[in-house]
mmCIF file of all heavy atoms in Angstrom:
data_model
loop_
_atom_site.group_PDB
_atom_site.id
_atom_site.type_symbol
_atom_site.label_atom_id
_atom_site.label_comp_id
_atom_site.label_asym_id
_atom_site.label_seq_id
_atom_site.Cartn_x
_atom_site.Cartn_y
_atom_site.Cartn_z
ATOM 1 N N CYS A 24 11.691 30.988 18.369
ATOM 2 C CA CYS A 24 12.313 30.971 19.695
ATOM 3 C C CYS A 24 11.304 30.504 20.736
ATOM 4 O O CYS A 24 10.148 30.889 20.700
ATOM 5 C CB CYS A 24 12.777 32.368 20.093
ATOM 6 S SG CYS A 24 14.141 32.976 19.131
ATOM 7 N N LYS A 25 11.791 29.688 21.658
ATOM 8 C CA LYS A 25 10.959 29.265 22.781
ATOM 9 C C LYS A 25 11.466 29.980 24.020
ATOM 10 O O LYS A 25 12.640 29.899 24.352
ATOM 11 C CB LYS A 25 11.023 27.755 22.954
ATOM 12 C CG LYS A 25 10.429 27.039 21.778
ATOM 13 C CD LYS A 25 10.292 25.568 22.031
ATOM 14 C CE LYS A 25 9.713 24.960 20.766
ATOM 15 N NZ LYS A 25 8.780 23.917 21.030
ATOM 16 N N CYS A 26 10.569 30.693 24.674
ATOM 17 C CA CYS A 26 10.940 31.465 25.857
ATOM 18 C C CYS A 26 10.179 30.960 27.081
ATOM 19 O O CYS A 26 9.007 30.597 26.985
ATOM 20 C CB CYS A 26 10.635 32.946 25.655
ATOM 21 S SG CYS A 26 11.565 33.701 24.309
ATOM 22 N N LYS A 27 10.870 30.957 28.200
ATOM 23 C CA LYS A 27 10.267 30.566 29.475
ATOM 24 C C LYS A 27 10.453 31.700 30.464
ATOM 25 O O LYS A 27 11.501 32.319 30.511
ATOM 26 C CB LYS A 27 10.923 29.294 30.010
ATOM 27 C CG LYS A 27 10.695 28.095 29.118
ATOM 28 C CD LYS A 27 11.354 26.861 29.681
ATOM 29 C CE LYS A 27 11.107 25.678 28.760
ATOM 30 N NZ LYS A 27 11.693 24.446 29.312
ATOM 31 N N ARG A 28 9.402 31.973 31.248
ATOM 32 C CA ARG A 28 9.463 33.021 32.267
ATOM 33 C C ARG A 28 9.423 32.364 33.638
ATOM 34 O O ARG A 28 8.559 31.557 33.933
ATOM 35 C CB ARG A 28 8.283 33.982 32.135
ATOM 36 C CG ARG A 28 8.349 35.142 33.126
ATOM 37 C CD ARG A 28 7.220 36.133 32.918
ATOM 38 N NE ARG A 28 5.923 35.540 33.073
ATOM 39 C CZ ARG A 28 5.218 35.514 34.210
ATOM 40 N NH1 ARG A 28 5.712 36.063 35.304
ATOM 41 N NH2 ARG A 28 4.035 34.967 34.254
ATOM 42 N N TYR A 29 10.407 32.731 34.460
ATOM 43 C CA TYR A 29 10.534 32.198 35.814
ATOM 44 C C TYR A 29 10.384 33.338 36.818
ATOM 45 O O TYR A 29 10.885 34.429 36.607
ATOM 46 C CB TYR A 29 11.918 31.579 36.027
ATOM 47 C CG TYR A 29 12.217 30.407 35.118
ATOM 48 C CD1 TYR A 29 12.795 30.603 33.869
ATOM 49 C CD2 TYR A 29 11.933 29.111 35.523
ATOM 50 C CE1 TYR A 29 13.082 29.531 33.039
ATOM 51 C CE2 TYR A 29 12.224 28.019 34.702
ATOM 52 C CZ TYR A 29 12.797 28.248 33.456
ATOM 53 O OH TYR A 29 13.084 27.189 32.635
ATOM 54 N N VAL A 30 9.689 33.055 37.905
ATOM 55 C CA VAL A 30 9.608 33.989 39.026
ATOM 56 C C VAL A 30 10.115 33.256 40.243
ATOM 57 O O VAL A 30 9.573 32.209 40.626
ATOM 58 C CB VAL A 30 8.162 34.502 39.248
ATOM 59 C CG1 VAL A 30 8.106 35.408 40.471
ATOM 60 C CG2 VAL A 30 7.654 35.238 38.011
ATOM 61 N N ASP A 31 11.189 33.779 40.819
ATOM 62 C CA ASP A 31 11.846 33.158 41.969
ATOM 63 C C ASP A 31 12.156 31.683 41.711
ATOM 64 O O ASP A 31 11.991 30.830 42.576
ATOM 65 C CB ASP A 31 11.016 33.323 43.240
ATOM 66 C CG ASP A 31 10.909 34.777 43.670
ATOM 67 O OD1 ASP A 31 11.862 35.537 43.416
ATOM 68 O OD2 ASP A 31 9.868 35.161 44.246
ATOM 69 N N GLY A 32 12.592 31.374 40.487
ATOM 70 C CA GLY A 32 12.996 30.023 40.131
ATOM 71 C C GLY A 32 11.883 29.094 39.687
ATOM 72 O O GLY A 32 12.138 27.997 39.216
ATOM 73 N N ASP A 33 10.631 29.501 39.833
ATOM 74 C CA ASP A 33 9.494 28.671 39.438
ATOM 75 C C ASP A 33 9.029 29.059 38.039
ATOM 76 O O ASP A 33 8.804 30.240 37.749
ATOM 77 C CB ASP A 33 8.321 28.844 40.406
ATOM 78 C CG ASP A 33 8.635 28.347 41.806
ATOM 79 O OD1 ASP A 33 9.379 27.356 41.931
ATOM 80 O OD2 ASP A 33 8.128 28.962 42.769
ATOM 81 N N LEU A 34 8.849 28.070 37.161
ATOM 82 C CA LEU A 34 8.376 28.308 35.805
ATOM 83 C C LEU A 34 6.941 28.824 35.857
ATOM 84 O O LEU A 34 6.064 28.198 36.440
ATOM 85 C CB LEU A 34 8.441 27.019 34.988
ATOM 86 C CG LEU A 34 7.952 27.103 33.555
ATOM 87 C CD1 LEU A 34 8.824 28.050 32.741
ATOM 88 C CD2 LEU A 34 7.929 25.726 32.923
ATOM 89 N N LYS A 35 6.706 29.990 35.252
ATOM 90 C CA LYS A 35 5.368 30.591 35.258
ATOM 91 C C LYS A 35 4.698 30.537 33.894
ATOM 92 O O LYS A 35 3.481 30.437 33.811
ATOM 93 C CB LYS A 35 5.422 32.043 35.744
ATOM 94 C CG LYS A 35 5.859 32.190 37.179
ATOM 95 C CD LYS A 35 4.879 31.523 38.112
ATOM 96 C CE LYS A 35 5.311 31.655 39.558
ATOM 97 N NZ LYS A 35 4.408 30.992 40.468
ATOM 98 N N SER A 36 5.477 30.626 32.808
ATOM 99 C CA SER A 36 4.869 30.565 31.478
ATOM 100 C C SER A 36 5.910 30.195 30.438
ATOM 101 O O SER A 36 7.107 30.350 30.648
ATOM 102 C CB SER A 36 4.216 31.901 31.114
ATOM 103 O OG SER A 36 5.187 32.907 31.003
ATOM 104 N N GLU A 37 5.409 29.685 29.321
ATOM 105 C CA GLU A 37 6.239 29.358 28.169
ATOM 106 C C GLU A 37 5.570 29.953 26.942
ATOM 107 O O GLU A 37 4.347 29.957 26.839
ATOM 108 C CB GLU A 37 6.358 27.843 27.990
ATOM 109 C CG GLU A 37 7.064 27.144 29.110
ATOM 110 C CD GLU A 37 7.188 25.647 28.857
ATOM 111 O OE1 GLU A 37 7.675 25.279 27.771
ATOM 112 O OE2 GLU A 37 6.786 24.882 29.742
ATOM 113 N N THR A 38 6.385 30.440 26.017
ATOM 114 C CA THR A 38 5.837 30.990 24.780
ATOM 115 C C THR A 38 6.849 30.829 23.663
ATOM 116 O O THR A 38 8.015 30.564 23.915
ATOM 117 C CB THR A 38 5.440 32.473 24.947
ATOM 118 O OG1 THR A 38 4.683 32.880 23.821
ATOM 119 C CG2 THR A 38 6.651 33.363 25.117
ATOM 120 N N THR A 39 6.391 30.980 22.445
ATOM 121 C CA THR A 39 7.286 30.952 21.295
ATOM 122 C C THR A 39 7.155 32.278 20.563
ATOM 123 O O THR A 39 6.083 32.886 20.525
ATOM 124 C CB THR A 39 6.946 29.796 20.353
ATOM 125 O OG1 THR A 39 5.557 29.831 20.075
ATOM 126 C CG2 THR A 39 7.308 28.463 20.959
ATOM 127 N N ILE A 40 8.258 32.738 19.997
ATOM 128 C CA ILE A 40 8.322 34.038 19.337
ATOM 129 C C ILE A 40 8.766 33.828 17.892
ATOM 130 O O ILE A 40 9.751 33.133 17.650
ATOM 131 C CB ILE A 40 9.327 34.971 20.044
ATOM 132 C CG1 ILE A 40 9.059 35.049 21.545
ATOM 133 C CG2 ILE A 40 9.333 36.362 19.416
ATOM 134 C CD1 ILE A 40 7.741 35.657 21.935
ATOM 135 N N THR A 41 8.050 34.424 16.950
ATOM 136 C CA THR A 41 8.446 34.313 15.544
ATOM 137 C C THR A 41 9.625 35.237 15.252
ATOM 138 O O THR A 41 9.883 36.201 15.990
ATOM 139 C CB THR A 41 7.293 34.701 14.603
ATOM 140 O OG1 THR A 41 6.977 36.066 14.800
ATOM 141 C CG2 THR A 41 6.070 33.827 14.843
ATOM 142 N N LYS A 42 10.307 34.934 14.183
ATOM 143 C CA LYS A 42 11.445 35.760 13.777
ATOM 144 C C LYS A 42 10.984 37.194 13.482
ATOM 145 O O LYS A 42 11.661 38.158 13.826
ATOM 146 C CB LYS A 42 12.113 35.156 12.548
ATOM 147 C CG LYS A 42 13.350 35.892 12.114
ATOM 148 C CD LYS A 42 14.052 35.194 10.975
ATOM 149 C CE LYS A 42 15.335 35.945 10.635
ATOM 150 N NZ LYS A 42 16.103 35.252 9.598
ATOM 151 N N GLU A 43 9.830 37.336 12.868
ATOM 152 C CA GLU A 43 9.300 38.665 12.551
ATOM 153 C C GLU A 43 9.039 39.484 13.815
ATOM 154 O O GLU A 43 9.332 40.672 13.867
ATOM 155 C CB GLU A 43 8.005 38.546 11.730
ATOM 156 C CG GLU A 43 8.212 37.971 10.350
ATOM 157 C CD GLU A 43 8.319 36.439 10.328
ATOM 158 O OE1 GLU A 43 7.896 35.776 11.311
ATOM 159 O OE2 GLU A 43 8.864 35.915 9.348
ATOM 160 N N ASP A 44 8.484 38.826 14.840
ATOM 161 C CA ASP A 44 8.230 39.518 16.107
ATOM 162 C C ASP A 44 9.537 39.930 16.778
ATOM 163 O O ASP A 44 9.650 41.025 17.330
ATOM 164 C CB ASP A 44 7.411 38.648 17.057
ATOM 165 C CG ASP A 44 5.964 38.498 16.614
ATOM 166 O OD1 ASP A 44 5.504 39.324 15.804
ATOM 167 O OD2 ASP A 44 5.309 37.565 17.088
ATOM 168 N N MET A 45 10.526 39.029 16.730
ATOM 169 C CA MET A 45 11.837 39.356 17.310
ATOM 170 C C MET A 45 12.423 40.590 16.640
ATOM 171 O O MET A 45 12.889 41.507 17.310
ATOM 172 C CB MET A 45 12.821 38.189 17.117
ATOM 173 C CG MET A 45 12.655 37.061 18.066
ATOM 174 S SD MET A 45 13.832 35.716 17.794
ATOM 175 C CE MET A 45 15.215 36.457 17.019
ATOM 176 N N GLU A 46 12.405 40.605 15.325
ATOM 177 C CA GLU A 46 12.989 41.719 14.577
ATOM 178 C C GLU A 46 12.225 43.013 14.830
ATOM 179 O O GLU A 46 12.828 44.081 14.939
ATOM 180 C CB GLU A 46 13.030 41.388 13.093
ATOM 181 C CG GLU A 46 14.041 40.301 12.769
ATOM 182 C CD GLU A 46 13.993 39.831 11.331
ATOM 183 O OE1 GLU A 46 13.077 40.245 10.580
ATOM 184 O OE2 GLU A 46 14.870 39.029 10.950
ATOM 185 N N SER A 47 10.901 42.937 14.942
ATOM 186 C CA SER A 47 10.124 44.156 15.189
ATOM 187 C C SER A 47 10.429 44.751 16.560
ATOM 188 O O SER A 47 10.270 45.952 16.771
ATOM 189 C CB SER A 47 8.625 43.884 15.044
ATOM 190 O OG SER A 47 8.154 43.089 16.112
ATOM 191 N N LEU A 48 10.886 43.906 17.489
ATOM 192 C CA LEU A 48 11.261 44.368 18.831
ATOM 193 C C LEU A 48 12.743 44.730 18.927
ATOM 194 O O LEU A 48 13.214 45.165 19.964
ATOM 195 C CB LEU A 48 10.920 43.305 19.869
ATOM 196 C CG LEU A 48 9.430 43.056 20.057
ATOM 197 C CD1 LEU A 48 9.212 41.806 20.885
ATOM 198 C CD2 LEU A 48 8.764 44.255 20.693
ATOM 199 N N GLY A 49 13.493 44.520 17.827
ATOM 200 C CA GLY A 49 14.895 44.911 17.803
ATOM 201 C C GLY A 49 15.877 43.835 18.237
ATOM 202 O O GLY A 49 17.021 44.138 18.562
ATOM 203 N N PHE A 50 15.454 42.577 18.247
ATOM 204 C CA PHE A 50 16.329 41.466 18.639
ATOM 205 C C PHE A 50 16.769 40.694 17.403
ATOM 206 O O PHE A 50 15.983 40.475 16.491
ATOM 207 C CB PHE A 50 15.618 40.509 19.597
ATOM 208 C CG PHE A 50 15.202 41.150 20.887
ATOM 209 C CD1 PHE A 50 13.871 41.420 21.150
ATOM 210 C CD2 PHE A 50 16.143 41.488 21.835
ATOM 211 C CE1 PHE A 50 13.484 42.002 22.337
ATOM 212 C CE2 PHE A 50 15.768 42.072 23.037
ATOM 213 C CZ PHE A 50 14.437 42.332 23.278
ATOM 214 N N GLU A 51 18.037 40.257 17.396
ATOM 215 C CA GLU A 51 18.547 39.482 16.273
ATOM 216 C C GLU A 51 18.559 37.984 16.579
ATOM 217 O O GLU A 51 18.334 37.170 15.694
ATOM 218 C CB GLU A 51 19.961 39.929 15.916
ATOM 219 C CG GLU A 51 20.013 41.328 15.344
ATOM 220 C CD GLU A 51 21.423 41.729 14.956
ATOM 221 O OE1 GLU A 51 22.263 40.846 14.724
ATOM 222 O OE2 GLU A 51 21.674 42.944 14.911
ATOM 223 N N LYS A 52 18.849 37.608 17.807
ATOM 224 C CA LYS A 52 18.961 36.209 18.204
ATOM 225 C C LYS A 52 18.048 35.931 19.384
ATOM 226 O O LYS A 52 17.712 36.834 20.150
ATOM 227 C CB LYS A 52 20.402 35.892 18.620
ATOM 228 C CG LYS A 52 21.423 36.139 17.546
ATOM 229 C CD LYS A 52 22.815 35.898 18.089
ATOM 230 C CE LYS A 52 23.865 36.273 17.069
ATOM 231 N NZ LYS A 52 25.210 36.168 17.624
ATOM 232 N N CYS A 53 17.708 34.674 19.549
ATOM 233 C CA CYS A 53 16.851 34.283 20.677
ATOM 234 C C CYS A 53 17.468 34.689 22.010
ATOM 235 O O CYS A 53 16.795 35.243 22.872
ATOM 236 C CB CYS A 53 16.612 32.778 20.662
ATOM 237 S SG CYS A 53 15.628 32.209 19.277
ATOM 238 N N LYS A 54 18.759 34.408 22.156
ATOM 239 C CA LYS A 54 19.412 34.685 23.442
ATOM 240 C C LYS A 54 19.461 36.178 23.759
ATOM 241 O O LYS A 54 19.626 36.545 24.916
ATOM 242 C CB LYS A 54 20.808 34.078 23.481
ATOM 243 C CG LYS A 54 21.791 34.699 22.530
ATOM 244 C CD LYS A 54 23.150 34.040 22.663
ATOM 245 C CE LYS A 54 24.154 34.715 21.751
ATOM 246 N NZ LYS A 54 25.484 34.145 21.918
ATOM 247 N N ASP A 55 19.271 37.045 22.753
ATOM 248 C CA ASP A 55 19.232 38.487 23.014
ATOM 249 C C ASP A 55 18.020 38.885 23.849
ATOM 250 O O ASP A 55 17.996 39.953 24.462
ATOM 251 C CB ASP A 55 19.218 39.276 21.700
ATOM 252 C CG ASP A 55 20.501 39.134 20.904
ATOM 253 O OD1 ASP A 55 21.539 38.767 21.498
ATOM 254 O OD2 ASP A 55 20.467 39.394 19.686
#
Side-chain angles (χ1 to χ4, degrees):
C24 291
K25 295 189 181 218
C26 298
K27 296 180 180 182
R28 183 176 60 93
Y29 298 89
V30 177
D31 294 329
D33 295 326
L34 179 64
K35 295 297 180 182
S36 65
E37 295 182 52
T38 191
T39 50
I40 308 296
T41 64
K42 184 175 183 176
E43 293 81 18
D44 289 341
M45 281 180 25
E46 290 173 353
S47 71
L48 293 168
F50 298 108
E51 292 182 23
K52 301 176 186 175
C53 293
K54 67 179 183 177
D55 294 339

